[in-house]
Amino acid sequence: MDYSRYYLGVLLQVAVIASFIVGGPWVWVGIASLPAFGLVDSVLPNDFRARRIRHEGLVEIPVWLCALLGPVIYLAAAYWAARNPGANGWEYAGVIASCAWLSVIPLVPATHELYHQRGKLRRLVGRYCQVCYLDATREIAHVVGHHIHVATTLDGDTAPRGTSLYAFTPRAVVESTKEAWRSESDNLEKMGKGRWSIGHRVYRAALVLLAFHAILFAIGGWRANAVALAGMIGARFWIESFNYFQHYGLIRVPGTQIDRRHVWNHLKPISRVMGFEITNHADHHTNSFAAFYELVPDRQWIPMPSVFVCFFSALIPPLWHHKVIMPALRRWDNEMASPAERELAREQNRRAGWPDWFEDKPVAEGQMAAA
């Protein structure tokens, strides 16, 4: 099971490709998996098991398949567009929504796993399969920005307390793009080149996107391009919503050590499997080269619900704030935060109009060690 469980994402991708080929109401299969997974995941118990993997090559197969099948889904969508010129709006909506959702799960975790690992081929595939969500430079901001600044005000992926999903998402899209392009330009400048010289990775990302859309056009014409672009734009914004759940409101003093307590974990079984363990990601931020199957669930965590439950609750900000995240942050502030982090958290609470729920006693050394 520790090998086969990760094929769930592959099976979903194959089902969506088949649904586009068949057409009709079946094109809703992809997006219909979102509430289905959410319902099942929410009622299952948390999964605290570490994976027992002896054959690394075997367990990596579904990662590669999920990354490579991401673009294939868009090719299948182009085929659908070519075959169904008279399709109604509901069918178009089903194809676009399914493309967007399948570009988030399982494609994002698969590409994330590949570009975090050593090896040129892994990073190449992980980087350019991100064309499916219009962000083939995403790993730059993620690796040299997010992983350094996580849980600080310098991190565009960490939502300050009181921020709604609707306010966070568009800002995160802009900030992550600016961070990636600025970091790449800074690197070129250090090499003695122009900040926007021909070696800038944004140009290669643009060429890959144009080439991919040329292929889509050859299959299904302008309708295929329109469907694909709509799915890609939806996916680009949707992706940022998952950073919202993984890091919301957590505090770290800039320059201090990153600990397991500085991220949220969502340890429901489907969350772990469909995300290639990215929701089990305390270890990931302390050792970003650790493979997904090497991550060990954090048993000192503050319980969080399924990542699917977090998504649906965040669509209603008062529900997210009062029923999900504020109780978790109150515990984090009083059980895991350092004195300096508490002061920053108190200030964020004040600005958000949240209660001052801080206990007077300082954090015990044992608590900090456990955290």
Side-chain angles (χ1 to χ4, degrees):
M1 282 295 291
D2 282 349
Y3 294 87
S4 61
R5 69 178 74 238
Y6 296 109
Y7 283 90
L8 180 60
V10 178
L11 291 175
L12 176 61
Q13 288 175 308
V14 171
V16 170
I17 292 168
S19 76
F20 290 171
I21 293 173
V22 174
W26 291 106
V27 298
W28 285 86
V29 164
I31 191 60
S33 69
L34 170 59
F37 283 152
L39 179 61
V40 174
D41 207 33
S42 65
V43 299
L44 291 175
N46 288 309
D47 179 7
F48 291 101
R49 289 184 62 253
R51 305 305 185 215
R52 296 181 176 87
I53 301 298
R54 295 182 179 179
H55 304 286
E56 298 176 4
L58 290 178
V59 78
E60 289 181 347
I61 292 174
V63 176
W64 285 88
L65 287 174
C66 283
L68 295 171
L69 285 174
V72 175
I73 288 173
Y74 281 90
L75 298 178
Y79 173 83
W80 174 87
R83 289 280 302 272
N84 297 275
N88 59 45
W90 281 106
E91 290 177 273
Y92 274 98
V95 173
I96 292 169
S98 293
C99 283
W101 172 234
L102 270 293
S103 296
V104 178
I105 297 294
L107 181 59
V108 169
T111 57
H112 171 269
E113 179 64 22
L114 290 175
Y115 68 63
H116 258 293
Q117 298 304 315
R118 295 177 175 89
K120 291 184 178 180
L121 181 60
R122 283 185 172 90
R123 293 187 174 185
L124 182 72
V125 172
R127 177 178 302 135
Y128 291 115
C129 283
Q130 295 178 111
V131 69
C132 296
Y133 42 88
L134 299 178
D135 201 6
T137 59
R138 182 178 184 81
E139 84 283 358
I140 304 173
H142 181 82
V143 173
V144 304
H146 173 60
H147 270 266
I148 294 172
H149 302 306
V150 64
T152 73
T153 55
L154 300 174
D155 181 31
D157 290 343
T158 301
R161 301 178 186 201
T163 307
S164 73
L165 180 64
Y166 304 104
F168 169 81
T169 301
R171 185 167 64 242
V173 170
V174 172
E175 289 302 319
S176 65
T177 303
K178 288 168 58 179
E179 174 73 23
W181 294 5
R182 182 172 56 249
S183 295
E184 177 70 358
S185 293
D186 289 345
N187 185 56
L188 289 171
E189 195 170 55
K190 291 176 182 177
M191 296 168 63
K193 301 178 181 180
R195 291 184 63 80
W196 292 95
S197 64
I198 195 65
H200 203 293
R201 280 190 274 178
V202 70
Y203 303 136
R204 280 174 275 174
L207 285 174
V208 170
L209 178 64
L210 288 172
F212 188 50
H213 271 275
I215 295 170
L216 296 174
F217 178 81
I219 296 172
W222 291 113
R223 280 192 303 274
N225 291 123
V227 167
L229 190 59
M232 291 172 176
I233 292 172
R236 180 68 184 89
F237 282 83
W238 207 335
I239 289 163
E240 300 301 341
S241 70
F242 282 82
N243 279 323
Y244 183 81
F245 314 130
Q246 296 274 67
H247 302 284
Y248 188 97
L250 292 170
I251 303 291
R252 182 173 64 88
V253 177
T256 60
Q257 178 177 312
I258 299 171
D259 293 320
R260 303 178 94 207
R261 62 195 172 91
H262 288 125
V263 298
W264 296 118
N265 297 281
H266 304 82
L267 301 178
K268 294 288 188 175
I270 296 179
S271 295
R272 288 185 62 181
V273 169
M274 291 300 294
F276 286 109
E277 302 295 338
I278 192 57
T279 65
N280 166 30
H281 86 311
D283 280 351
H284 176 63
H285 272 275
T286 57
N287 179 10
S288 62
F289 284 114
F292 71 98
Y293 52 85
E294 296 174 330
L295 304 179
V296 178
D298 182 7
R299 291 183 176 270
Q300 302 297 326
W301 74 322
I302 292 173
M304 291 289 283
S306 161
V307 72
F308 298 96
V309 171
C310 288
F311 170 71
F312 285 115
S313 65
L315 297 176
I316 308 173
L319 179 63
W320 162 253
H321 284 129
H322 293 286
K323 298 299 182 181
V324 179
I325 200 62
M326 287 175 71
L329 281 170
R330 179 171 184 163
R331 281 195 58 188
W332 190 89
D333 289 345
N334 288 296
E335 297 176 19
M336 293 187 171
S338 69
E341 289 167 346
R342 283 191 185 185
E343 289 305 310
L344 294 176
R346 177 178 276 114
E347 178 60 21
Q348 276 202 22
N349 280 9
R350 186 190 64 78
R351 291 180 181 178
W354 288 10
D356 189 299
W357 52 48
F358 301 86
E359 299 172 5
D360 293 332
K361 64 178 183 296
V363 179
E365 290 185 7
Q367 288 178 307
M368 288 297 296

